[in-house]
Amino acid sequence: MRARYFLIALSCLAMAAMAEPQNKTDKKGRKQGEWGKFYPNGNPKYIGNFKNDVPVGEFQHFYENGRPQSVQTYIDATHSKVVFYEPDGTTIQSQGSYVGKEKDGKWEYFNKGVLNLVENYKEGKRHGLQMSYNKDKVAMEEIPYVDGKI
């Protein structure tokens, strides 16, 4: 009977270990595999994967209440797309792309899920038209930018 309880407990521990990120590094100290960090309440802060210290695939960040804060998808070592959410975890706050840690390309910003601003970036600086919209998605203002300057 004790052996049965021991096997059940061992199985539960093994399943729990597989469910949580491992946060492992290789011999060179590079992050490998699934990584994550948790809030004191046990909810995940972020979960994602690394290969040779480089983020790969999807990284999810969470608010302390456990709802999604952002989902960033790595296309390669330097390019990623990201969606940021309101604290409800479902309403999109903004979305766009990064090259490295700099915004690049089209970024959309929302107010309570309604598009209200579009900005274009090049190497982290506004470049191209910035367009603001009213609640009916009619362009109210267009401002041209070149290398971060109007």
Side-chain angles (χ1 to χ4, degrees), residues 99 102-105 121-127 147:
V99 173
E102 302 287 346
K103 289 181 178 179
D104 199 73
Y121 286 85
K122 183 178 177 184
E123 299 173 354
K125 295 178 183 175
R126 280 186 261 185
H127 189 84
D147 291 326

Side-chain angles (χ1 to χ4, degrees), residues 1 19-20 27 39 44-45 50 58 91 102 115 126 141:
M1 189 64 126
E20 288 192 21
K27 292 177 183 177
Y39 289 105
K45 190 171 191 172
F50 287 91
E58 189 175 277
T91 305
E102 302 287 346
L115 179 67
R126 280 186 261 185
E141 183 178 45

